[in-house]
Amino acid sequence: MFDDEKSVESKDSLFSEKDFVVEDDVEIAEESEAEDRPQYTEEELGKLIGFVKGITTLYDLRETDWNQLNESGIVNFLMDPREQILCIYFDGDDLIATVEYPNCVYEDLTYFIREPNEVFQVDTFHDNIIFGTVHSSIESTLLEVLENVYAPIFFKIKNWPENVKSDFCSHLHNFLAKLTDISYKMIGLTVIYIPKEGLDMSVEEATKDKELVRRLESIVVYWTSQIRVILQDQDTGVKESMITPLDEIQNWISRYENLTGVGQQLTSKKLKHTTEILVSVQSLYVKQFLSVADEISGKLEEAKSNIEYLQIIRDPCGALNNVESPDKIPETIPPILTLIRYIWLNSKYYNTDQRITTLCKALTTQIIVRCIEFIDLNTVFKSKKSKEAINTFQMCIASCKTYMRLYDIMSDAHTEFGTTPWKLERSPIFSHMESFIQRCNDMIEICEAMINFGRFDETEDIPKPKFSGTRAMEFEKWCEKVEDMFSDSLYEVHAVKTIILDVQSSQWYDEILKFRGRMKDIEIVIENLVNSVFDQIPTVDEGVEALAAFYNYSKRSTLKSLFDRKTLYVTFINCLETKFRIANQIWYRMKMSIR
């Protein structure tokens, strides 16, 4: 018994001691953290904040942008040695200073970095702080710092083992070459990375360093691949299926400018110095590069010629972009087709079937784009102006079909009266046009359903169906259910409105099939309603009244046969009533004559 009590006391004692140890550890940690925090006077802290503000370099930074909130972010960085980075940037119009990396998009950002647990002093702040500014183009910033600051240091290192340095420098050159390529390719330019290694050496001296020669050869190999890509990529941007003739002109202008820039780079003294080193050692790689580089002049001539010929369609295509309504589009098409034929017959480089097909396809795209600019889907889904939308879609369809007829007329005349037949593949030229016409027809179908089932017609006020008899309220609720079902279906189409006119998206085909399936469900509901209503109709007057209530539904083509049958049924009742009335009159006259 005594032992048990002692055991219990021992457990309680240990538990309490453990608790005290944890509390002591927390207190010690807090005291340690407090001891690590730098102790600045108000004057010292103010100077350090001023140093940070003075170093910060951001676009359009003004003294008035600094405030108590962002200055407190600087203080947090200065007072907590555990924080290794301070970021200062603009989030919209607000200047932010924080120890966390931003999640927002920024134009530029100034950073400050400290060594772990480093405490800044006023006298040595500028000696110890690491800082810099990063622009929105991260690749360009990284390239600038690596190529101009760090790379020259690495190339000058003498105390590394030769094999280690050679391997490291090879990878560094490869990285800088690819980083240079991707940084400028994002703005549509091709820039050749020229290594700074070996530039301060004579050709004779450089050829004696076999590892340097090997590294330069790997760079020249990369140059060769860059030039080959430029030469082979004759249709830069044309692979985009939604390009217009004006885009095609701009693509060739960009290509000409890019080739001109590359040609100028090939004449630079630094690049020639590198190639001379490799030529002196009879490198096969530099011979391949020089051979490929010689082709630049021919491609420049080609680009220049294509620009000159394509410029003649700029004004007619501009006129197409300025038409005031879809039905005016066909007026601008014949001059463009005539000029395309002229380019085909006279251009030295742009006269291939593939390029003329591309140009015709681009014209098709421009017509589609221009039609889409006239279509406002908010007119359908928000304003509910179904008739206005139907009129716009019909004008777009008519213009597209007229364009295809004009193309056929031009191609037939060219084949009949020209020296060479018009043998372009028709399918790739009009595939998107046919898809666009189908999308317009789909939207007309939806607008007609809006009139039939939703009573959305801005030209007239369509009343709700009204019925007589004991079940009138039940039938009217049935009609309200039809409108609710249609509203749900229209909302689901509205949710995917961004893909309706996107001829490159195939998702719309699934959506229109879903819509048609829902319309069939609504038609079944209406058919059941009509049958139920006519089951209660004994007279012609009530039948005519019911047909009048269903008049808006009867406009639906798929329900036409149903209402034709019901009209015939009312006519049949009318005939029976007429014959019955005539029979009654005959019987009455016979009865009177007998008397």
Side-chain angles (χ1 to χ4, degrees), residues 428-446:
I429 295 174
F430 295 119
S431 59
H432 284 160
M433 179 69 74
E434 292 169 351
S435 178
F436 175 72
I437 291 173
Q438 182 57 50
R439 302 292 175 94
C440 291
N441 283 322
D442 292 341
M443 286 306 301
I444 290 174
E445 179 183 337
I446 291 172

Side-chain angles (χ1 to χ4, degrees), residues 32-93:
S32 175
E33 182 180 337
E35 290 175 359
D36 291 340
R37 294 177 69 85
Q39 302 297 320
Y40 296 121
T41 65
E42 186 174 342
E43 181 182 358
E44 289 174 334
L45 187 59
K47 285 184 177 180
L48 291 173
I49 294 173
F51 292 158
V52 172
K53 292 167 64 175
I55 292 173
T56 301
T57 305
L58 298 174
Y59 175 74
D60 201 26
L61 175 63
R62 305 175 185 179
E63 187 62 32
T64 54
D65 293 321
W66 295 102
N67 54 45
Q68 187 175 357
L69 182 61
N70 49 47
E71 287 182 1
S72 66
I74 299 174
V75 172
N76 291 337
F77 172 69
L78 294 172
M79 296 298 294
D80 191 347
R82 295 173 301 174
E83 299 293 350
Q84 289 187 259
I85 186 168
L86 170 68
C87 298
I88 302 178
Y89 57 94
F90 278 104
D91 184 0
D93 294 330

Side-chain angles (χ1 to χ4, degrees), residues 151 154-156 160 164-175 193 197 215 219:
F154 288 124
F155 295 142
K156 294 293 184 180
W160 284 8
V164 174
K165 179 182 176 182
S166 180
D167 188 48
F168 178 83
C169 291
S170 293
H171 288 297
L172 181 58
H173 281 310
N174 187 45
F175 177 73
Y193 164 71
E197 188 181 18
R215 292 195 291 272
I219 295 169

Side-chain angles (χ1 to χ4, degrees), residues 245 312-313 316-317 320 329-345 356-357 359-364 367 400-412 414 422 424 429-430:
I312 66 175
I313 64 172
C317 289
L320 172 57
I329 290 177
E331 300 173 5
T332 65
I333 294 174
I336 300 175
L337 289 175
T338 301
L339 291 173
I340 290 176
R341 178 175 177 271
Y342 174 82
I343 294 171
W344 192 2
L345 294 175
I356 296 299
T357 298
L359 194 56
C360 291
K361 187 177 179 181
L363 175 59
T364 299
I367 294 171
C400 292
K401 289 183 176 179
T402 301
Y403 161 59
M404 291 192 285
R405 285 198 300 272
L406 290 172
Y407 174 88
D408 291 336
I409 292 171
M410 176 66 73
S411 63
D412 292 342
H414 175 89
W422 189 297
L424 302 182
I429 295 174
F430 295 119

Side-chain angles (χ1 to χ4, degrees), residues 138-165:
I138 305 297
E139 300 84 5
S140 298
T141 305
L142 179 61
L143 175 63
E144 184 178 351
V145 174
L146 282 177
E147 186 176 12
N148 298 315
V149 179
Y150 292 108
I153 296 174
F154 288 124
F155 295 142
K156 294 293 184 180
I157 291 177
K158 302 292 185 181
N159 57 351
W160 284 8
E162 189 61 31
N163 60 332
V164 174
K165 179 182 176 182

Side-chain angles (χ1 to χ4, degrees), residues 342-361:
Y342 174 82
I343 294 171
W344 192 2
L345 294 175
N346 295 279
S347 174
K348 180 180 178 181
Y349 300 102
Y350 210 89
N351 59 354
T352 64
D353 291 351
Q354 180 182 359
R355 285 184 174 167
I356 296 299
T357 298
T358 297
L359 194 56
C360 291
K361 187 177 179 181

